[in-house]
Structures are given as structure tokens and as C-alpha cells.
Amino acid sequence: MTTPSASLPSLAENLAAAGTAVIPVHPDSVGAPRVSIPVPNGWREVDRGVFPGAYGVWALPPEESLGWADNAVLLVGRLSAPVDAAGLLRSAFVDSRRMPQWREVSTDTGDYQGFPSATITGYYTVETLTLWADNRYVVVGAGGDQYLVQLTVTARAGEEGSETALITAGLTIATSVPTDSGEMP
């Protein structure tokens, strides 16, 4: 990316300016892509009532002394109007770069599983807690609609490793819609 993110709008600002809404979908939404991640041992699915707009949230048990739990948040939303995926993804790094004391480790704008994508990884600090975060955004076409998939994995600095790598590398997106019998065509 050659454009400094300070001059770009965030993804949400970009979509709002275009008048495009993101309508949350869930695993049981008909016609939406099927999205999954591998869940490491010890991680638990968080009740959907806690994050009703999320496709799914998983976390380690919280560390009470820190008030923190390493977590993975998966959001999938149908876009209310078509967007230029490349143009939208130019804004993908803005929110991360706005985090307090953001230190960037890597970015990638290559396709993911054949779909336009952007990923940013780095560290930020909130009060006394330094966190590692990996954010992947993917624009998926399915059934004549476009969907925005976002996977954010956040862990305490120094705790990122094999479990977080398993999650970030294991994001799977399937656009085939099951038949009435539940089988994939």
C-alpha cells in the first residue's frame, strides 16, 4: 500500500460514505458463505447472546487478574450494495493503525482462498496490557451478493504462537450452498 492510512477512512467509514450497510449473518443464514476456523484445545465458544452481531466468538478462559481473555472474533456481513473490493480493502489497515501505541509487524494484500483480502498484524497497548492482534478482511461473492468476512485474533503479547497461528491460518470460506438435504452440490 502506498497511500498513508492516516488519510484514508476506516472500512466502516468507507462503507458509510458509500451508503452501504453490513447486515450481520450467522452460520444458519441461507445463501451466505460458510465460514469456519479451527478451535484450539482449551478455547471455548462464547454465547452468541454476548456478541449478537458476530458469526462466532471463541476465547480462552479469562485471566481474572488481568481482566483479559485471548480471543478470536469472526464477523460475516452481507453488503447491502456492491462495492469495489480493492477500493474497500485499501481502508483495511486503518482501524488497527489507530490503536494506541500500534506497532506493525506485517501486512498482506494478496487474495485469500481466491477472494480479495487484506491482513494486518501488530501490537498495541491498552493501559498496562500489550496485545498482539491479527486482522484479516475478505470480500466474498456468493449467491449474487457480496459479503465482508473479518477475522480478528487477539492475544496477550508473548502468548501469540501455535494456537493463534492455527486460527489465523485455518480460516476457511466455502461459497457452495447446501441443498435441502444438507449436502453440498
Side-chain angles (χ1 to χ4, degrees):
M1 300 203 115
T2 57
T3 306
S5 62
S7 64
L8 292 172
S10 69
L11 271 169
E13 293 163 347
N14 187 322
L15 290 167
T20 302
V22 180
I23 299 109
V25 299
H26 298 98
D28 57 353
S29 296
V30 176
R34 299 291 175 233
V35 182
S36 63
I37 61 169
V39 180
N41 290 334
W43 289 60
R44 300 179 187 147
E45 188 167 7
V46 176
D47 183 274
R48 184 165 289 137
V50 178
F51 298 99
Y55 193 87
V57 178
W58 298 264
L60 279 171
E63 295 194 33
E64 297 301 328
S65 64
L66 297 174
W68 174 257
D70 293 351
N71 63 81
V73 178
L74 184 56
L75 304 173
V76 180
R78 184 177 57 80
L79 301 176
S80 66
V83 300
D84 168 46
L88 177 64
L89 292 173
R90 277 194 283 282
S91 296
F93 303 152
V94 173
D95 282 332
S96 293
R97 290 175 174 164
R98 289 178 179 172
M99 297 302 289
Q101 299 178 41
W102 177 256
R103 290 175 292 140
E104 200 158 295
V105 173
S106 65
T107 62
D108 180 50
T109 56
D111 284 0
Y112 185 79
Q113 296 181 2
F115 300 107
S117 178
T119 305
I120 185 167
T121 304
Y123 295 90
Y124 65 98
T125 302
V126 177
E127 297 178 10
T128 61
L129 197 57
T130 299
L131 301 169
W132 172 91
D134 182 274
N135 289 288
R136 176 178 294 279
Y137 302 91
V138 187
V139 178
V140 178
D145 289 313
Q146 279 184 309
Y147 294 84
L148 179 61
V149 175
Q150 178 183 352
L151 173 61
T152 300
V153 181
T154 310
R156 286 181 300 124
E159 297 299 316
E160 75 279 9
S162 61
E163 290 181 348
T164 55
L166 174 74
I167 297 168
T168 58
L171 173 65
T172 302
I173 302 167
T175 57
S176 296
V177 179
T179 64
D180 290 337
S181 66
E183 295 179 18
M184 297 299 250

